[in-house]
Amino acid sequence: MTSTPKIIVLDDDPTGSQTVHSCLLLMRWDVETLRLGLRDPSPIFFVLTNTRSLTPEKALETTQEACQNLKQAIAQEQIRDFLVVSRSDSTLRGHYPVETDAIAAELGAFDALFLTPAFLKRVALPKTASITWSSTACPHPCMKLSLLRTRCLATAIATCPIMWKRKLTGGSSPVR
């Protein structure tokens, strides 16, 4: 007999949960609320931590608390087959790898880590490891876009892989 794993999505902002339906969106992560999510018949539920709006220190504290409570809820519900997903826009906005490191420290290493920038209002086209923004027939490198020249991304990093490597320098990988 094959069981379907329970998928638990820790979401750093409300945009991810706005794109799904027919599952719970939990706005709290106390043990009892998480147990409700684990008992729900849907194979997936979202936990909106809203950490993107927080400082890195507060995001770490919030993620640790959510994961510690989730660990207790999983044990109390005797869930053996589950997947934890970090749905985080923060890979481009400052908290990566704080959240994924915290999840890995509390719940175990990830089987896989996908860094997938997406600009849904326009087409994102990978081209020689650079992400480009294409609103016309002529794609533009992302780092030339004003929306990416923010205080958080003020340095002139030409490609996302270089940016992620810099963020990970000195840190450990949350991937097994």
Side-chain angles (χ1 to χ4, degrees):
M1 184 172 136
T2 307
S3 68
T4 302
K6 190 66 154 187
I7 302 170
I8 305 132
V9 181
L10 299 178
D11 201 344
D12 77 339
D13 80 340
T15 59
S17 58
Q18 291 172 0
T19 62
V20 297
H21 60 84
S22 303
C23 66
L24 292 179
L25 169 61
L26 305 180
M27 308 288 277
R28 297 186 324 232
W29 46 88
D30 58 276
V31 174
E32 285 308 310
T33 301
L34 292 169
R35 288 181 73 184
L36 290 173
L38 292 167
R39 287 192 300 258
D40 189 74
S42 175
I44 185 171
F45 69 93
F46 279 70
V47 179
L48 178 59
T49 59
N50 211 26
T51 52
R52 193 171 87 189
S53 67
L54 305 174
T55 65
E57 296 79 18
K58 186 65 176 162
L60 173 63
E61 179 183 313
T62 299
T63 303
Q64 288 171 329
E65 177 186 1
C67 290
Q68 290 164 1
N69 290 346
L70 181 58
K71 190 186 297 185
Q72 288 179 51
I74 287 169
Q76 290 174 16
E77 292 299 318
Q78 299 178 351
I79 304 290
R80 298 200 193 311
D81 199 7
F82 65 93
L83 298 171
V84 176
V85 175
S86 171
R87 203 221 60 85
S88 172
D89 287 347
S90 297
T91 56
L92 289 175
R93 300 172 201 225
H95 295 327
Y96 176 76
V98 169
E99 291 160 311
T100 52
D101 285 351
I103 294 167
E106 296 295 334
L107 298 172
F110 289 92
D111 290 322
L113 181 64
F114 299 97
L115 301 175
T116 314
F119 301 100
L120 300 179
K121 292 183 181 176
R122 301 288 187 248
V123 179
L125 302 170
K127 182 179 180 182
T128 63
S130 291
I131 305 302
T132 59
W133 178 275
S134 181
S135 59
T136 64
C138 180
H140 306 285
C142 277
M143 295 320 255
K144 297 207 185 266
L145 293 173
S146 60
L147 74 98
L148 289 179
R149 286 185 302 208
T150 64
R151 186 171 52 89
C152 293
L153 293 175
T155 57
I157 301 169
T159 64
C160 290
I162 291 171
M163 178 181 66
W164 292 322
K165 183 176 179 182
R166 286 184 184 174
K167 285 181 163 239
L168 286 170
T169 301
S172 61
S173 173
V175 180
R176 307 180 193 179

